[in-house]
Amino acid sequence: MTNNQFTADFQQLFGHPAQGLSVAPGRVNLIGEFTDYNLGYVLPCALNFSTQVLFKTRDDKQVVVYSNNYPGEQDSFSIDNDIAQGDSQWGNYIRAVVYVLKKRGYALGGIELLISSDVPQGAGLSSSAALEVSIAGAFNQAFNLRIDTKTIALIGQQAENEFMHCQCGIMDQLISAQAEAGHALKIDCDDLSTEKVLIPEDLNLVIVNSNYPRKLVESEYNQRRLDCEGAAQKMQVSSLRQANLALLEQTKAVLTENEYKRAFHVLSENQRVVDTVTALANNSMDDLRDLLAASHQSLRDNFEVTVPATDGLVDIISRALEGKGAVRMTGGGFGGAVICLCRDDEIAVVKAAVEREYQPKFDLHADIFVCQAGTGLAVNTVS
Ligand code: ADP
Ligand code: MG
């Protein structure tokens, strides 16, 4: 399964072959946006884009890492020292995982690592989670740590939260660690229980990155969180998961307009996740189209996290599809990507419409990725 050039690269860098290969995918969220920190439902799907890590233990305590995506660069540090930020921006993700593993008390040794990935970086497909999960998987196998996949995901999230200072939820790491080929995963962010959901074989995932330069994302993100917390507090529930639309209407008078709108989005979006699971089971394109359209509309009007470029992409694609596909923005908003679900015949239609209409209107180039539902973390020995 490893490609020959990659194993040869390892041999050339370290002077001997690797002992194992850890592989973890990027992801896209089909529906369930901004529901994660409100302890609701999300429905991500792993992609057939993945990050691969060849590894071999060392006799000393050094971690030495290269990435084929950053040729000529290297990071190394001793696991015996306190793990601090280094000079390599990408190397810090490896340090982050080691920092958390050490903090959790796992006994580690030195290791050689070579990374290679076809997950586009910064395109909203969570290359960072793929990296964290594949690195944690490599350490798990190399030092026989016996960590289950759910804990691997939590370690990846903790690495991102505490070391990279990015307050992401658990979704990206959990789908990367636990995905099964051909399936999405419905995650209940309240108790982290999961349910695998078959993706019909004739359904393609077309992801279009707007490449819109993101601004103000963090402050806006935090404000949305505060609005959701405020709404929950005024409804006297511990999180929006404990609320429902009837309670929201009863409490409307004491909520600010934004608290009401944000909560309305979250509560209706949770229901849309549940309904999307049914729509996938029925392979009903009409239902998928209506659910994704309603999600996008709510993200635009109630949660207010879309931008003209992502609204424009959704508009261009849905007009081109003439009802024969589903489309909405996906990910953290304020730019980023849109996800389109469609049959084979429509892929070319979507591509042509985006290539014809997006650039002239928004003066940006969109990247288009046609994907299938991929498999989760896999670690194997290399012979
Ligand atoms: P996203 O997760 O949406 O792709 P992030 O900014 O969260 O974007 O993560 C991207 C960062 O993750 C990169 O800047 C880099 O530091 C790191 N990264 C991802 N993939 C690789 C790789 N193959 N090799 C080295 N670093 C990587
Ligand atoms: Mg990321």
Side-chain angles (χ1 to χ4, degrees):
M1 63 178 293
T2 7
N3 91 37
N4 289 338
Q5 185 57 50
F6 188 35
T7 49
D9 291 343
F10 189 97
Q11 169 84 38
Q12 180 160 18
L13 282 168
F14 296 109
H16 44 237
Q19 86 191 58
L21 174 70
S22 177
V23 183
R27 66 90 189 98
V28 67
N29 191 22
L30 301 182
I31 198 161
E33 221 64 78
F34 296 94
T35 45
D36 58 349
Y37 58 75
N38 293 298
L39 308 186
Y41 301 120
V42 292
L43 188 63
C45 179
L47 303 176
N48 52 331
F49 293 137
S50 61
T51 297
Q52 312 205 349
V53 181
L54 283 167
F55 60 91
K56 185 178 187 329
T57 55
R58 289 169 63 98
D59 295 334
D60 63 10
K61 296 300 182 74
Q62 287 294 115
V63 175
V64 182
V65 54
Y66 293 85
S67 170
N68 279 349
N69 300 87
Y70 294 86
E73 297 183 24
Q74 187 237 47
D75 192 22
S76 59
F77 54 96
S78 167
I79 54 143
D80 280 345
N81 298 338
D82 284 343
I83 308 298
Q85 304 277 336
D87 295 331
S88 164
Q89 183 265 349
W90 61 267
N92 281 333
Y93 282 91
I94 290 80
R95 292 173 182 241
V97 172
V98 172
Y99 168 84
V100 174
L101 288 170
K102 275 187 72 176
K103 190 171 174 183
R104 288 179 175 235
Y106 292 107
L108 310 176
I111 193 168
E112 293 161 346
L113 302 160
L114 175 61
I115 301 160
S116 179
S117 181
D118 62 358
V119 185
Q121 294 178 31
L125 306 187
S126 214
S127 69
S128 61
L131 180 59
E132 291 146 8
V133 169
S134 58
I135 292 288
F139 275 90
N140 187 32
Q141 173 103 346
F143 302 107
N144 200 16
L145 304 177
R146 298 171 185 278
I147 311 175
D148 61 52
T149 51
K150 183 171 158 184
T151 310
I152 285 194
L154 288 164
I155 288 167
Q157 183 199 16
Q158 194 180 348
E160 191 126 356
N161 291 167
E162 291 182 17
F163 200 87
M164 302 309 291
H165 305 295
C166 171
Q167 295 311 311
C168 62
I170 187 63
M171 169 171 75
D172 302 353
Q173 290 82 6
L174 200 59
I175 182 68
S176 185
Q178 295 197 327
E180 284 185 40
H183 291 77
L185 201 64
K186 179 183 171 217
I187 302 173
D188 182 337
C189 297
D190 192 16
D191 61 7
L192 299 191
S193 60
T194 56
E195 175 191 333
K196 61 177 185 168
V197 177
L198 186 71
I199 303 276
E201 254 184 49
D202 58 352
L203 202 63
N204 295 287
L205 315 175
V206 182
I207 300 163
V208 184
N209 184 16
S210 69
N211 285 318
Y212 178 83
R214 291 181 149 172
K215 284 176 255 164
L216 293 175
V217 181
E218 210 170 320
S219 59
E220 293 288 342
Y221 182 88
N222 292 340
Q223 188 54 51
R224 298 298 181 283
R225 268 188 104 127
L226 291 175
D227 290 339
C228 290
E229 281 164 24
Q233 226 166 41
K234 289 181 184 170
M235 285 189 274
Q236 300 187 334
V237 290
S238 58
S239 75
L240 288 182
R241 179 59 180 278
Q242 269 71 51
N244 55 48
L245 286 170
L247 179 61
L248 181 66
E249 294 308 323
Q250 280 167 29
T251 325
K252 189 172 180 180
V254 299
L255 301 182
T256 66
E257 192 189 341
N258 277 348
E259 285 169 345
Y260 174 80
K261 281 160 66 177
R262 309 317 184 213
F264 188 89
H265 166 75
V266 171
L267 297 177
S268 59
E269 185 80 351
N270 276 332
Q271 186 58 46
R272 281 187 288 271
V273 175
V274 174
D275 294 343
T276 300
V277 171
T278 308
L280 286 169
N282 297 333
N283 199 1
S284 164
M285 189 57 91
D286 287 348
D287 291 348
L288 291 171
R289 181 196 59 225
D290 292 348
L291 286 160
L292 268 66
S295 172
H296 186 82
Q297 201 173 36
S298 181
L299 288 159
R300 186 188 64 204
D301 301 338
N302 298 322
F303 222 72
E304 297 181 278
V305 289
T306 66
V307 292
T310 47
D311 288 336
L313 273 177
V314 166
D315 182 52
I316 290 166
I317 294 170
S318 55
R319 272 190 290 108
L321 283 168
E322 296 176 325
K324 289 181 282 184
V327 59
R328 66 173 201 94
M329 69 147 260
T330 180
F334 305 103
V338 310
I339 166 84
C340 166
L341 306 176
C342 65
R343 310 287 182 218
D344 287 354
D345 287 350
E346 268 66 55
I347 296 175
V349 174
V350 170
K351 277 186 172 170
V354 170
E355 275 157 19
R356 191 176 56 237
E357 297 180 43
Y358 183 65
Q359 168 99 39
K361 200 157 178 196
F362 295 99
D363 199 22
L364 293 164
H365 171 79
D367 292 311
I368 305 176
F369 308 102
V370 180
C371 311
Q372 268 75 44
T375 182
L377 174 67
V379 190
N380 290 293
T381 52
V382 177
S383 47

